[in-house]
Amino acid sequence: MSAGFLSVLSQAQRYVSDRARVGEPVIDATAGNGVDTLFLARLVGSNGKVFAFDVQAAALERTRARLSVAASAGDRIAPAELLLAGHEEMSALIPPEYHGRIAAVMFNLGYLPGAEKKLVTQPDTTLIALVAALLMLRSGGVLTIVIYPGHEGGDAEAEAVEHWAETIPPSIGQCVMYRFPQKIQSPYLIAIVKK
C-alpha cells in the first residue's frame, strides 16, 4: 500500500483513465517530453487518435522518439499527429470532424524540462487554448491542467487559470482542484468534466 497521495501528474492521468475509452480521439496540449502523449496513445489504443501540440521542435522530437520506442516494443498505441504549433491553435488545426468528440485534453503548463526555462506557457495563449479545449470535448470528457506556480510568471498563469475555471458555469462543466497545501509553490491540478 502506498504511503501518500498520488502526484498531481498521476492524478491527472487517473482522471483521464476514468473518462477516455479505447478508440477515442484525445489531445496533449503541451507535448513536452511526450509522457502524456504516450500515456494517451496507450490509453485509447491503435483505433484511437492523439493530437499533440508543442512550440518547440525538440519537444516533438522527444515525443516522437518516446512513441517510436513504445511501438517498437509492441505497444498497440494510437497514431499521433505531432503539431509544431501553440495549443491556442487547436481549433484551427484539429479537423472539424473531431470537434465535440474529444474524450480528454491534457495540459502540463510551464516550461519544457531540460530546455530553456525562459520559454514558458503564457496566460493569454493558455486561456485561448483552454476555451477551445472545453468546446472540443464531448459530453463527459475531461480536461486536466497541471499548473506550476513556482517558476517566473507561473503564479500569474496559475491565477488566470484558476479564475477561468471558477467562472465556468456548472451547466457547462464540473471543476475540481487537487493540491498539496503544505507546499504552496508545488504543482497542482485543476480538472474539468464537461456536462
Side-chain angles (χ1 to χ4, degrees):
M1 182 190 291
S2 173
F5 292 106
L6 290 175
S7 71
V8 293
L9 298 172
S10 295
Q11 185 63 45
Q13 290 185 351
R14 175 169 284 184
Y15 286 146
V16 171
S17 294
D18 289 346
R19 299 271 170 193
R21 298 183 293 268
V22 170
E24 290 194 297
V26 290
I27 299 170
D28 184 350
T30 49
N33 287 317
V35 174
D36 286 335
T37 307
L38 178 57
F39 160 74
L40 289 167
R42 284 179 168 147
L43 182 65
V44 300
S46 55
N47 290 326
K49 174 76 173 178
V50 179
F51 296 95
F53 290 84
D54 210 289
V55 295
Q56 296 180 77
L60 295 181
E61 283 309 311
R62 293 177 192 177
T63 299
R64 186 175 282 106
R66 189 178 293 270
L67 293 169
S68 179
V69 167
S72 296
D75 285 10
R76 295 179 50 83
I77 60 174
E81 189 169 332
L82 306 182
L83 299 151
L84 183 60
H87 48 213
E88 71 276 12
E89 297 183 55
M90 72 173 66
S91 285
L93 296 178
I94 293 178
E97 62 265 24
Y98 290 99
H99 294 210
R101 293 184 43 226
I102 300 294
V105 185
M106 300 185 79
F107 285 78
N108 199 343
L109 302 178
Y111 57 85
L112 174 64
E116 176 58 52
K117 290 185 179 182
K118 294 213 181 294
L119 184 57
V120 296
T121 53
Q122 298 294 322
D124 55 346
T125 51
T126 294
L127 292 176
I128 292 168
L130 290 172
V131 169
L134 191 56
L135 289 169
M136 296 187 81
L137 283 176
R138 64 162 167 75
S139 178
V142 66
L143 168 58
T144 63
I145 313 149
V146 176
I147 302 167
Y148 295 81
H151 66 82
E152 188 176 337
D155 53 347
E157 185 171 49
E159 186 178 321
V161 171
E162 276 192 48
H163 176 72
W164 173 78
E166 289 167 359
T167 63
I168 295 172
S171 59
I172 301 294
Q174 181 183 35
C175 302
V176 67
M177 187 182 299
Y178 182 80
R179 188 172 203 166
F180 296 88
Q182 296 123 319
K183 300 176 183 177
I184 200 66
Q185 290 299 307
S186 66
Y188 63 100
L189 169 66
I190 293 176
I192 301 155
V193 172
K194 188 171 182 179
K195 293 280 180 159

